[in-house]
Amino acid sequence: MSEIPQKPVLLTGASGALGRQLTKHLAGLGWTLRLTDIAPFPDLIPAGCSFIRTDLAHGVDVLRLAEGCGTILHFGGISVERPFDEILGPNIVGLYNIYEAARREGARVLFASSNHAIGFHERTTRLDDDCELRPDGYYGLSKAYGELMGRMYWFKHGVENVNVRIGSSLPEPVDARMLSTYLSFADLCRLCERATLAPATGSCVIWGASHNARSFWGDDSRKAIAWEPIDTADIYTGQLQGKLSGNDVIERYQGGAYTVIDRTRKDMP
Ligand code: 15L
């Protein structure tokens, strides 16, 4: 039997696609989960779990939710590109509320960051975890801000945080780009398990991708949490390598289609 965290684990964004996978996996291991989301939880609430509907922009509610928790798996907030004023509450204010709650509880934060925090790096560049942040929109900018917030809370308050730059976590990859960025649900679940149970993490970054031969990404802190991906997108290569967008900008950058949303620059492809 695998180890069980001593304190309850708070999972935000529990009703989303990744939150539901994590709930199933971690509840299956016998973990005590406190689930939350702004949307109702669509599945049966597993034994050992409770669900409370919360808007993360309401600080007092977040503080109450996190009471007694040892880890916060933060998957809540907007998960696609949106105008700045829609991102502000859930992803900026909400994240501050999460970190304040973690500080009060002495809890560790696993932050679901995204490849869109670095989306304006070219696909020909292999990146390590200390690469320049190059957000490809307001959503990616909120993820870059979240990573920096983690760094500040670690150095100033000793709040541990694991920032997972998630590539494309779907049931399976659907285009050529995802041969590089795919993260299987099973690899993601094991990563969250390891990040919760690791004795110490400091503030670190991990590339959230399976074992893909075409990966854009190199060094990170996975050894600190004893995580290695098991799955791979490589079995889809024959089927997907020709599945391109036909747009030079999309194909040039790691962030793919997000890099052309509302783009006005004309002086380079
Ligand atoms: C993300 O961060 C998004 O949440 C997801 O919807 C995908 O677009 C993914 O990145 C991706 O880049 O494939």
Side-chain angles (χ1 to χ4, degrees):
M1 240 188 80
S2 64
E3 205 184 324
I4 291 185
Q6 282 174 355
K7 292 183 176 181
V9 171
L10 173 60
L11 172 63
T12 71
S15 306
L18 302 186
R20 290 168 72 189
Q21 293 294 327
L22 287 166
T23 300
K24 200 162 58 176
H25 177 82
L26 300 174
L29 297 174
W31 290 21
T32 302
L33 300 177
R34 210 169 286 169
L35 310 171
T36 190
D37 203 296
I38 201 162
F41 190 67
D43 307 319
L44 274 179
I45 296 170
C49 303
S50 55
F51 177 81
I52 299 176
R53 244 174 121 168
T54 318
D55 182 341
L56 298 177
H58 296 159
V60 177
D61 295 345
V62 176
L63 285 179
R64 205 172 301 132
L65 253 182
E67 253 169 31
C69 290
T71 304
I72 303 176
L73 302 176
H74 182 44
F75 283 75
I78 305 277
S79 62
V80 289
E81 179 62 348
R82 299 299 302 155
F84 180 71
D85 55 349
E86 288 181 37
I87 297 275
L88 188 59
N91 290 26
I92 305 289
V93 180
L95 192 78
Y96 163 74
N97 291 334
I98 289 291
Y99 266 99
E100 274 303 291
R103 174 158 81 106
R104 200 172 76 165
E105 297 300 325
R108 178 180 296 166
V109 176
L110 178 139
F111 175 51
S113 184
S114 167
N115 71 90
H116 297 291
I118 53 85
F120 268 125
H121 283 281
E122 298 195 12
R123 296 194 191 184
T124 47
T125 315
R126 192 175 164 87
L127 302 177
D128 292 333
D129 53 355
D130 59 355
C131 69
E132 182 189 356
L133 291 165
R134 287 195 192 171
D136 57 26
Y138 296 115
Y139 164 67
L141 188 59
S142 76
K143 295 300 185 181
Y145 174 82
E147 291 190 18
L148 286 172
M149 185 176 282
R151 210 149 304 160
M152 188 277 271
Y153 270 80
W154 165 244
F155 283 107
K156 199 158 201 176
H157 305 298
V159 175
E160 290 191 312
N161 51 88
V162 178
N163 300 276
V164 186
R165 285 188 193 143
I166 299 175
S168 308
S169 199
L170 298 169
E172 55 182 46
V174 298
D175 59 23
R177 170 177 169 273
M178 291 188 193
L179 293 172
S180 308
T181 60
Y182 175 63
L183 172 66
S184 74
F185 289 152
D187 279 339
L188 170 71
C189 288
R190 285 187 288 264
L191 195 166
C192 291
E193 202 185 315
R194 299 308 319 154
T196 304
L197 295 173
T201 65
S203 175
C204 66
V205 172
I206 295 179
W207 297 108
S210 288
H211 194 67
N212 308 325
R214 295 182 170 214
S215 179
F216 305 141
W217 306 318
D219 283 355
D220 64 12
S221 289
R222 62 192 58 199
K223 280 206 179 76
I225 63 160
W227 174 76
E228 269 299 331
I230 293 171
D231 297 325
T232 179
D234 299 356
I235 50 175
Y236 299 94
T237 305
Q239 181 185 330
L240 294 178
Q241 62 188 349
K243 208 162 170 211
L244 304 168
S245 64
N247 177 311
D248 288 347
V249 178
I250 292 179
E251 296 304 324
R252 176 174 181 162
Y253 293 114
Q254 298 190 4
Y258 281 49
T259 62
V260 296
I261 300 172
D262 293 334
R263 186 174 193 266
T264 58
R265 188 165 178 169
K266 303 273 188 287
D267 62 344
M268 60 193 276

